[in-house]
Amino acid sequence: MLYLQLFYSFFKIGLFGFGGGYAILSLIQHEIDRYGWMTQQEFVDMVAISQMTPGPIGINAATYVGYTATGSVLGSVLTTFAITLPSFIIMLSLCKIYFKMKDNVYVAGTLQGLRYVVIGLIAAAAMLLMNQATFIDYWSYILFAFVFLGSLLFNLHPILMIVISGIAGYFIYI
């Protein structure tokens, strides 16, 4: 029954999760809370781990939840397959339709409207993570400002920013 719940939940997330990983974090959290697959702290840790590992955050999160909920690789494979299956089916269908209707005014208008929905979903996910964090102190704001300004003004390489932030976080929070 657990495997069926996982498949159904992540298939549904994959089907309705427009906007990528950050936009679907609230959907993933809702399903986790609904079935009690992990605690809030484990969810926050899962988001951090999913961000650090290579690949899309939504797929990484699904894999993590599947493994945590079942304790097996089969659970992680099942949730990964379930979250990607709707996208695969939809993209095959939409590509065929899009190439026939790409100049249609209604199609262009629909895609324009979806952009604003995605922005709202990403903002909701950010607010969710800020509220779930165990603490946010002034050092967090300083690190954020450093990374933001380093990227914006000095065009520092993202890997360098991650390494510097990790080292700073180690010394600040030990």
Side-chain angles (χ1 to χ4, degrees):
M1 187 65 175
L2 175 61
Y3 290 98
L4 186 60
Q5 287 174 343
L6 284 167
F7 182 84
Y8 174 71
S9 293
F10 282 94
F11 184 84
K12 184 172 56 173
I13 290 168
L15 188 61
F16 297 107
F18 295 100
Y22 292 108
I24 67 170
L25 284 178
S26 59
L27 294 173
I28 293 173
Q29 188 203 21
H30 174 75
E31 294 298 316
I32 288 171
D33 291 344
R34 178 177 176 194
Y35 293 109
W37 291 326
M38 61 178 54
T39 65
Q40 290 298 321
Q41 185 59 45
E42 288 175 322
F43 175 76
V44 172
D45 293 342
M46 178 215 44
V47 171
I49 291 170
S50 297
Q51 289 174 333
M52 291 186 312
T53 53
I57 187 171
I59 294 173
N60 292 343
T63 305
Y64 188 93
V65 171
Y67 186 81
T68 303
T70 63
S72 70
V73 174
L74 179 61
S76 63
V77 170
L78 180 73
T79 54
T80 304
F81 176 71
I83 201 167
T84 57
L85 182 61
S87 299
F88 179 72
I89 294 168
I90 290 169
M91 286 309 298
L92 284 178
S93 304
L94 288 178
C95 283
K96 186 173 184 174
I97 294 168
Y98 177 74
F99 285 116
K100 289 181 182 179
M101 301 181 66
K102 64 182 172 183
D103 297 325
N104 188 312
V105 174
Y106 298 111
V107 172
T110 301
L111 292 175
Q112 180 68 27
L114 282 175
R115 290 179 187 155
Y116 300 110
V117 172
V118 170
I119 291 170
L121 289 171
I122 291 172
M127 295 300 291
L128 173 79
L129 289 176
M130 287 192 301
N131 291 335
Q132 297 296 330
T134 54
F135 64 91
I136 296 179
D137 58 1
Y138 67 92
W139 282 111
S140 300
Y141 293 113
I142 292 171
L143 283 173
F144 171 78
F146 171 76
V147 170
F148 181 76
L149 293 174
S151 299
L152 185 67
L153 300 177
F154 304 110
N155 199 24
L156 295 178
H157 196 278
I159 294 175
L160 177 64
M161 300 301 291
I162 291 169
V163 170
I164 291 171
S165 297
I167 292 169
Y170 174 77
F171 286 112
I172 292 169
Y173 296 113
I174 58 170

